[in-house]
Amino acid sequence: MKILTCSNSCPQWADGQLNPRSAGGLVPMLNALLAEHGGDWIFTAPPGGDLPESVTLDGGITLHPMGLDEDLRRRHYDTVSIQLLLGLLHYMHDTSVEPVFDRELGEAWAGYETVNRLYAERLTGLSADTADELILINDPHLMLVPEFFTAGKKQRKSKLTYFLGTPWCEPDYFTVLPGPIRTRILESLLACDAVGFHAQRWTDAFAACCARFLPDAVIEGDTITHRGHVTRLVSEPFPLDVDVIDTMVEEPATASWTERLTRMADGRRVMVRADRIDLWKNMPRGFAAFEAALERSPELAETSWFLAVGTTPSRASARHLAYQKATEEAIRRVNDRFGTPDRPVATLLQPGKGRDSRNCVLAALLMSSAAIVNSTYDGLNLFAKEAAYLLDDSASLLVSANAGVHEQLAPFTRTIDPFDIDQTSRVIEAALRTDTGSAGPAEKRHALLRSETAEGWLKAVFPAA
């Protein structure tokens, strides 16, 4: 078996090895699968780097950085992949004013096509087209790669899967895209042997879009037949690498963070969240709900501390910066009302990126009475799985009904309506008042999460792999 994978996400490596795995997500899982099977990884190189065309690592792994000039990166990544497509899939567009498909966006779309074509050409050059070759394409940045890669190929021996880590929107919202673009995206993905998502609801939404916008598509159960080609739909969440969690819990960095956070908590019950500061993570509403809980029960300000661990996106847009400012203003407001300068009731902690930031998150979870995820829409949300693994029996796990992980973890959670501040505030208040947690017996959560592996995920998303 050999793996060829394409992602916008970039691995890190040193001394002939991929960097140590973290507990989950796309890059750590690809690290694990390539370490096991070998193969090739095509990815978007970070800006400003001077990387060779390929890098050979131990274990039969070859990395293929795709260098893009800044103009092409801006059009492909910033304008189309992030602003247009991620905004679409997470329901983030203010449709009264955006998107506007004008000349500028048309030029950006041409840049998106160019990058996808370059990926497909590199993939074609690497593919041996053998029965044991597994080709995995990830990220909304690469939705046209299947179209370009399969063009003119009437028969393939290799297996081709596209997996999307975000939500997929319902058909009415998908009409935000012009007809030719939305048809082209759907037809490109249906050139794959399998299309996968983290949750069944995203799979169902994708199937509904195909049914509405591709009149010649035939949907039967978990398959879509389009122009003679059969595509299987897969719902399979990324696994949590609990062995990595167990290792990181014992690391000195986690102990150091535990000591620091214990001082900051000052004997209070801790509610924690950990997010990249993306628009759909819904942080301002989360703090507004906490504020509403304190308005109803001011005594909780003496006994509770809300800690948010945040990281910034790699290329933060003006909208991201405004969103972070709104988050900081919400925290400032709740502290002005219910905290003191030397004892805030809410804190946004930004330890930076990398492994140490995860040590901070794990330390926070180990001491927390509640963990909260209130995303407006989320493809999965790995933090919720980390919380499910680390929280003790007396803690509560609060999860948005619109997070993909809710489908898997619902038996262990208190469900949040992410748009309803009053409902969220009452769930928060209940979690901070009681010693009876919602997460259920730890052994059941551990059994569920330990049953998942990267190999199991790989077999699920590749037909007859």
Side-chain angles (χ1 to χ4, degrees):
M1 182 189 296
K2 179 183 178 182
I3 297 174
L4 299 182
T5 189
C6 297
S7 73
N8 176 75
S9 303
C10 175
Q12 295 182 338
W13 65 94
D15 302 323
Q17 301 280 342
L18 289 168
N19 277 8
R21 294 176 295 163
S22 62
L26 175 64
V27 169
M29 192 171 67
L30 293 179
N31 286 358
L33 292 173
L34 288 169
E36 178 68 23
H37 300 288
D40 295 84
W41 189 345
I42 308 169
F43 60 91
T44 305
D50 185 17
L51 295 174
E53 185 172 327
S54 63
V55 179
T56 300
L57 306 180
D58 298 340
I61 303 170
T62 305
L63 306 180
H64 304 270
M66 298 290 290
L68 308 176
D69 64 47
E70 183 55 30
D71 177 66
L72 190 55
R73 191 183 300 271
R74 176 187 57 78
R75 289 186 287 149
H76 164 260
Y77 183 93
D78 296 328
T79 303
V80 175
S81 300
I82 302 302
Q83 296 174 25
L84 176 62
L85 293 179
L86 282 184
L88 172 82
L89 297 171
H90 290 91
Y91 297 89
M92 295 306 304
H93 290 301
D94 177 357
T95 57
S96 68
V97 294
E98 63 175 10
V100 178
F101 285 88
D102 54 10
R103 179 178 177 180
E104 181 179 355
L105 191 50
E107 291 175 351
W109 179 255
Y112 183 84
E113 291 179 304
T114 296
V115 172
N116 278 251
R117 185 180 292 108
L118 291 172
Y119 263 88
E121 290 172 354
R122 182 72 66 89
L123 182 59
T124 297
L126 294 171
S127 172
D129 195 25
T130 57
D132 65 345
E133 182 178 81
L134 308 183
I135 301 175
L136 176 63
I137 301 172
N138 309 278
D139 298 327
H141 311 67
L142 304 176
M143 286 185 175
L144 297 185
V145 171
E147 172 195 312
F148 292 126
F149 176 69
T150 61
K153 297 182 177 74
K154 293 186 178 180
Q155 291 184 333
R156 272 187 296 105
K157 296 178 183 177
S158 58
K159 300 176 180 67
L160 177 62
T161 290
Y162 178 90
F163 192 89
L164 188 66
T166 71
W168 191 275
C169 62
E170 295 292 334
D172 280 350
Y173 201 78
F174 201 55
T175 60
V176 165
L177 297 179
I181 291 179
R182 63 175 178 255
T183 298
R184 191 170 173 194
I185 287 173
L186 295 174
E187 290 184 340
S188 177
L189 299 187
L190 291 184
C192 298
D193 302 307
V195 175
F197 300 89
H198 286 303
Q200 186 65 46
R201 65 182 296 186
W202 313 140
T203 305
D204 292 344
F206 174 76
C209 286
C210 292
R212 180 163 169 182
F213 301 117
L214 300 179
D216 50 351
V218 178
I219 302 171
E220 297 178 304
D222 64 353
T223 65
I224 300 179
T225 303
H226 182 249
R227 297 178 182 172
H229 180 75
V230 178
T231 301
R232 187 166 65 94
L233 304 183
V234 180
S235 304
E236 190 69 21
F238 281 166
L240 181 72
D241 193 329
V242 297
D243 292 335
V244 172
I245 292 279
D246 290 340
T247 297
M248 293 182 69
V249 162
E250 300 298 327
E251 289 177 346
T254 303
S256 177
W257 274 113
T258 299
E259 182 179 350
R260 178 180 173 183
L261 296 177
T262 298
R263 289 197 302 269
M264 295 173 72
D266 192 24
R268 294 172 290 180
R269 297 169 67 89
V270 180
M271 182 171 66
V272 63
R273 67 180 301 151
D275 309 274
R276 189 170 65 177
I277 305 177
D278 281 320
L279 305 176
W280 51 88
K281 296 300 184 180
N282 207 22
M283 296 177 77
R285 281 196 190 97
F287 285 105
F290 181 58
E291 182 179 17
L294 297 184
E295 287 175 348
R296 220 170 18 249
S297 302
E299 69 277 9
L300 289 177
E302 294 297 320
T303 60
S304 305
W305 178 46
F306 189 179
L307 169 64
V309 182
T311 56
T312 56
S314 56
R315 287 171 69 90
S317 67
R319 194 176 179 190
H320 281 102
L321 296 176
Y323 173 82
Q324 178 162 348
K325 183 178 179 181
T327 300
E328 292 168 349
E329 288 175 350
I331 294 170
R332 187 178 305 113
R333 184 181 65 246
V334 72
N335 281 325
D336 287 345
R337 295 187 63 192
F338 297 102
T340 63
D342 59 346
R343 202 169 189 258
V345 293
T347 301
L348 174 61
L349 190 61
Q350 296 180 263
K353 299 178 181 179
R355 193 173 177 91
D356 185 63
S357 69
R358 299 319 297 173
N359 292 104
C360 174
V361 172
L362 300 187
L365 284 171
L366 288 169
M367 61 187 292
S368 65
S369 299
I372 182 170
V373 171
N374 72 314
S375 318
T376 54
Y377 294 92
D378 222 338
L380 181 68
N381 197 287
L382 185 69
F383 168 71
K385 299 185 83 164
E386 293 175 329
Y389 186 69
L390 290 178
L391 293 177
D392 65 29
D393 291 355
S394 66
S396 293
L397 178 55
L398 286 51
V399 176
S400 165
N402 291 338
V405 75
H406 186 269
E407 189 170 284
Q408 183 182 29
L409 295 184
F412 309 110
T413 69
R414 299 177 190 264
T415 300
I416 289 173
D417 179 340
F419 301 103
D420 188 337
I421 289 176
D422 181 69
Q423 186 267 353
T424 302
S425 75
R426 294 180 187 279
V427 176
I428 288 173
E429 183 180 1
L432 291 175
R433 279 189 176 281
T434 181
D435 291 324
T436 304
S438 67
E443 60 267 22
K444 289 187 177 181
R445 292 178 268 128
H446 290 178
L448 171 66
L449 296 170
R450 286 190 177 280
S451 70
E452 303 178 312
T453 64
E455 285 296 316
W457 181 90
L458 185 72
K459 290 179 181 178
V461 301
F462 278 96

